[in-house]
Amino acid sequence: MFTVLKTTLILTLLLSAASHAAGTAPRKTLAPFASEQALSSYLQQLQARQAALQREQQKLQRATAQYTAMAPAPPPAPAPMAAKAAPAASAEAAESVTNVQTAGVDEGGIVKLHGKHLVMLRRGKLFTVQVGDKALQPVAALDAFAPGSDPSGSWYDEMLIDGDTVVVIGYSYSRGGTEIGLFDVNAEGKLAYRSTYHLRSNDYYSSRNYASRLIGSKLVFYSPLSLNLRRGDPFGGFPALRRWRPDAVPSDFKRIAPATRIYRTDDEPEPGFGLALHTVTVCDLAQRDMRCEATAVMGPQGRVFYVSGESVFVWTTRRGSDSGVFRIPLDGSAPSALKVAGAPVDQFSFMESPDGHLNVLLRAEGQGDAMWDGARGRGDMALLRVPLASFSDGRDSAPAGSYTPLPGGGYGLQNRYVGAYLLYGNPGNAGRRKADQAWPRQPLYAVRWADAGSVQALSLPHGVERIEALGNDAMVIGAQGKDLHFSTIGLGAQAAVATRYIRADAAQGESRSHGFFYKPHTASEGVIGLPILGADERPGLNKSGAAVLYLRNSGLTLTELGALAARPGQAPDDGCRASCVDWYGNARPLFLQGRVFALLGYELVEGVLKDGQIREVRRISYAPVASTVR
């Protein structure tokens, strides 16, 4: 009887999976270039168009200069009125230690867990600390770059672990793109250098997004590559990989995206506007000698990317609100595309939902999420919701009915899908105000993404600087003057503000998503950790969070457990040689096998929860000593 039921269940699951795959598969896909010759001919046409445009621009400049020289001098302009200063923007599986966006899709971070050891990446070096067997002991340290290489001009930003392989992802301005370092880590926490690869790319940095993902043993990168059509050999900017050696030369790069894996839509590139190869590279870490394959789509420069379990979605903006979204499968099959309008805020604007749809929160205009562009953007807002099956060869547009207008907007927008809801809001004017001025209330908008029905505006007495999931409910964190507010949001049939905790004289110590962590104990209970500073402090790129604050969530009621603080005093002289700015922050709350830690720069502090309070029990420093640094 059990065998029959088991067979029936397996068949049902297989049919369900096949049905889902058939329901989300695009009707058509983008067409690749048929051959290297076809790609070369197309690039030559683009070069000719670019050269003609340059000649026309030069003629116009000469004509303008001649007219200006002959024209009478204009009368002196009246003295300008003093302008008001613009208001300053508020600066406000195995056990995972990373607060990821999508379950099963790990993101490059500064701390990971390997067996009984924490592995940290900081200021150009890797470190391991034993935490298993109730220990807290530094074990090993190693440069995060190849022995004998010059690390100047390089930044080592992110780390992932697959089995016993540590992957360090960085960007080298001197060596031509993304740098991938592979290291071995054993059960005793010892580290050994294996190899380094260079992946040709532009700078991937984003103040909100992460460059790398790990799905199983697949290392996934999104890399923008600007095409320089003025150079004699445009192929010199195409996706390529080389293994580093001391005498490496540019000719060592080998292309990993042949013409038959390069795609384009029916849209012709706009003269005078940048053209990019939006490249998804998948590397197999199951073998010691890393192998990578790339798929690239030609499109405009502006981009935001999101990685689901099966695809990378890249949103490009041509001009204003004229945009396109590409769906690039991770299995190497052909990409598909859809013409769209507007621009997402960042990767958290996307969600590939289980019902086979792509949901994207949009603003009328945006510049992508490169560098600090994710905080910018303007115009009306909308929720786009389209079936994945509607993606095709790029000729089709998302129907007007796929967009639901939404209220709100503003600088520094935060957004997140939690359960059945899309939540969004902005920091507002959370700076100091005079004592007799009332604090303006800020709206948090909540919309059920599946039907995009009525939008709720929940009034908060603080700005929206961070939105995080608490199981099926949510938390919103933001400043009100010199205080930091934590508001819990119940997400039932209606969204509703539940309770609020206020930490006086405090501010967030980390703005990146990885700075927060929620450790659930039951469906409605858990512990929250967040780095904080004093209200008069501002997070510095080389400054540890003053403390990690811990709160207990019990049915959306918050109780303070206390904080684990950094030791005051000057940071140790570590003899830093590379990546000496903490662009990705350096403070994290960590929960491991029932234990609680705070990573604070070079300190790892352990606390214990007892009688409703967290108390420090011990701490270690894993900082290298400058005199011993090579």
Side-chain angles (χ1 to χ4, degrees):
M1 181 66 178
F2 175 77
T3 304
V4 173
L5 288 174
K6 185 178 179 182
T7 303
T8 303
L9 177 60
I10 291 172
L11 288 173
T12 301
L13 291 173
L14 289 173
L15 289 171
S16 175
S19 175
H20 175 77
T24 61
R27 301 187 309 275
K28 301 177 185 176
T29 59
L30 298 177
F33 286 91
S35 64
E36 294 294 324
Q37 180 57 47
L39 176 58
S40 179
S41 297
Y42 179 72
L43 293 174
Q44 289 173 8
Q45 294 173 18
L46 293 182
Q47 286 175 316
R49 288 174 54 191
Q50 184 71 33
L53 176 65
Q54 281 184 280
R55 290 193 293 270
E56 291 300 319
Q57 289 175 336
Q58 290 169 355
K59 288 181 182 178
L60 180 61
Q61 290 170 355
R62 285 195 296 269
T64 302
Q66 291 172 356
Y67 173 79
T68 302
M70 293 186 296
M81 295 178 64
K84 290 184 179 179
S90 298
E92 307 281 317
E95 191 167 12
S96 174
V97 294
T98 307
N99 178 25
V100 299
Q101 178 182 5
T102 302
V105 180
D106 198 10
E107 301 166 0
I110 63 169
V111 55
K112 299 290 179 182
L113 181 65
H114 176 263
K116 298 180 180 181
H117 299 84
L118 284 171
V119 184
M120 275 80 71
L121 171 67
R122 183 157 197 246
R123 294 168 65 81
K125 294 184 81 71
L126 283 168
F127 305 88
T128 59
V129 172
Q130 183 181 350
V131 291
D133 300 326
K134 303 299 182 182
L136 186 64
Q137 179 66 43
V139 175
L142 190 67
D143 287 336
F145 45 87
S149 66
D150 179 3
S152 60
S154 300
W155 298 93
Y156 301 97
D157 301 314
E158 304 180 15
M159 172 185 56
L160 290 156
I161 296 181
D162 175 47
D164 294 331
T165 299
V166 179
V167 185
V168 174
I169 294 94
Y171 189 82
S172 175
Y173 290 94
S174 58
R175 287 187 282 273
T178 299
E179 189 165 306
I180 308 165
L182 302 183
F183 299 81
D184 295 319
V185 58
N186 66 15
E188 288 73 46
K190 299 297 184 181
L191 294 163
Y193 171 78
R194 186 194 304 175
S195 56
T196 296
Y197 296 83
H198 294 127
L199 176 68
R200 191 180 285 154
S201 76
N202 296 140
D203 193 348
Y204 55 69
Y205 181 78
S206 166
S207 63
R208 295 191 176 195
N209 209 341
Y210 304 94
S212 59
R213 303 292 193 274
L214 185 65
I215 305 173
S217 291
K218 288 183 177 179
L219 178 63
V220 180
F221 297 96
Y222 163 74
S223 313
L225 271 168
S226 297
L227 283 181
N228 185 355
L229 297 175
R230 299 178 183 178
R231 68 191 301 167
D233 176 21
F235 288 103
F238 272 57
L241 186 76
R242 73 174 177 187
R243 184 164 179 164
W244 181 85
R245 51 190 174 88
D247 55 350
V249 293
S251 60
D252 289 342
F253 277 105
K254 305 302 179 188
R255 275 185 48 197
I256 55 174
T260 52
R261 289 181 68 111
I262 297 176
Y263 300 79
R264 60 178 294 263
T265 69
D266 63 319
D267 291 325
E268 289 297 329
E270 285 188 296
F273 289 82
L275 182 65
L277 279 177
H278 298 283
T279 308
V280 171
T281 303
V282 179
C283 301
D284 182 9
L285 294 177
Q287 306 174 56
R288 287 190 64 81
D289 293 330
M290 190 177 68
R291 296 181 181 178
C292 303
E293 293 184 334
T295 301
V297 178
M298 288 186 181
Q301 293 278 7
R303 86 292 193 278
V304 180
F305 77 97
Y306 155 70
V307 184
S308 72
E310 297 179 349
S311 302
V312 178
F313 292 87
V314 181
W315 191 287
T316 65
T317 303
R318 175 186 292 266
R319 178 184 57 225
S321 62
D322 184 10
S323 305
V325 59
F326 299 108
R327 181 190 183 193
I328 306 175
L330 295 174
D331 63 4
S333 57
S336 52
L338 199 62
K339 287 182 169 66
V340 286
V345 180
D346 54 25
Q347 73 273 24
F348 296 114
S349 304
F350 294 78
M351 182 184 66
E352 181 183 323
S353 51
D355 62 358
H357 284 70
L358 179 67
N359 308 269
V360 192
L361 178 66
L362 303 171
R363 295 179 291 192
E365 296 182 19
Q367 303 176 53
D369 68 355
M371 299 298 177
W372 288 268
D373 286 345
R376 303 181 178 94
R378 61 184 181 180
D380 295 337
M381 301 194 65
L383 175 63
L384 171 67
R385 177 171 161 78
V386 291
L388 295 174
S390 66
F391 280 71
S392 64
D393 59 3
R395 299 175 186 271
D396 298 331
S397 298
S402 300
Y403 300 87
T404 300
L406 296 175
Y411 184 88
L413 193 79
Q414 301 291 322
N415 58 154
R416 189 65 68 96
Y417 295 87
V418 182
Y421 284 87
L422 164 65
L423 306 173
Y424 64 97
N426 64 62
N429 183 13
R432 298 182 182 180
R433 298 172 68 82
K434 295 179 180 178
D436 59 350
Q437 286 183 303
W439 291 99
R441 298 187 74 83
Q442 297 293 328
L444 171 74
Y445 295 101
V447 57
R448 297 182 73 94
W449 49 261
D451 53 21
S454 60
V455 181
Q456 292 180 253
L458 307 180
S459 181
L460 298 175
H462 59 85
V464 179
E465 297 178 353
R466 180 186 288 273
I467 304 171
E468 300 286 355
L470 296 182
N472 292 322
D473 298 303
M475 167 174 281
V476 179
I477 301 171
Q480 182 205 60
K482 298 183 71 174
D483 300 333
L484 189 63
H485 288 232
F486 297 72
S487 293
T488 57
I489 312 295
L491 300 177
Q494 294 286 309
V497 179
T499 59
R500 181 171 300 112
Y501 162 80
I502 301 174
R503 175 76 174 196
D505 194 33
Q508 283 199 97
E510 292 275 3
S511 61
R512 281 187 171 271
S513 61
H514 290 180
F516 175 95
F517 202 93
Y518 178 60
K519 183 69 172 181
H521 295 154
T522 68
S524 60
E525 295 191 357
V527 178
I528 296 152
L530 179 74
I532 60 169
L533 298 169
D536 292 328
E537 297 182 86
R538 287 291 176 264
L541 291 173
N542 289 317
K543 181 169 62 177
S544 304
V548 171
L549 174 68
Y550 298 91
L551 304 174
R552 185 186 302 281
N553 168 45
S554 181
L556 297 183
T557 296
L558 300 176
T559 305
E560 180 179 335
L561 298 173
L564 298 175
R567 181 182 288 115
Q570 189 171 359
D573 180 7
D574 60 3
C576 183
R577 297 177 59 206
S579 202
C580 299
V581 176
D582 293 321
W583 294 108
Y584 282 47
N586 54 39
R588 298 287 187 269
L590 302 170
F591 302 92
L592 298 171
Q593 290 102 37
R595 298 164 71 189
V596 180
F597 298 91
L599 176 64
L600 298 162
Y602 279 129
E603 290 186 290
L604 192 61
V605 185
E606 182 174 5
V608 62
L609 286 171
K610 187 176 182 180
D611 300 327
Q613 293 292 313
I614 188 163
R615 296 182 177 88
E616 179 183 333
V617 293
R618 53 184 169 170
R619 70 173 63 209
I620 56 103
S621 170
Y622 61 93
V625 179
S627 61
T628 65
V629 175
R630 293 195 301 272

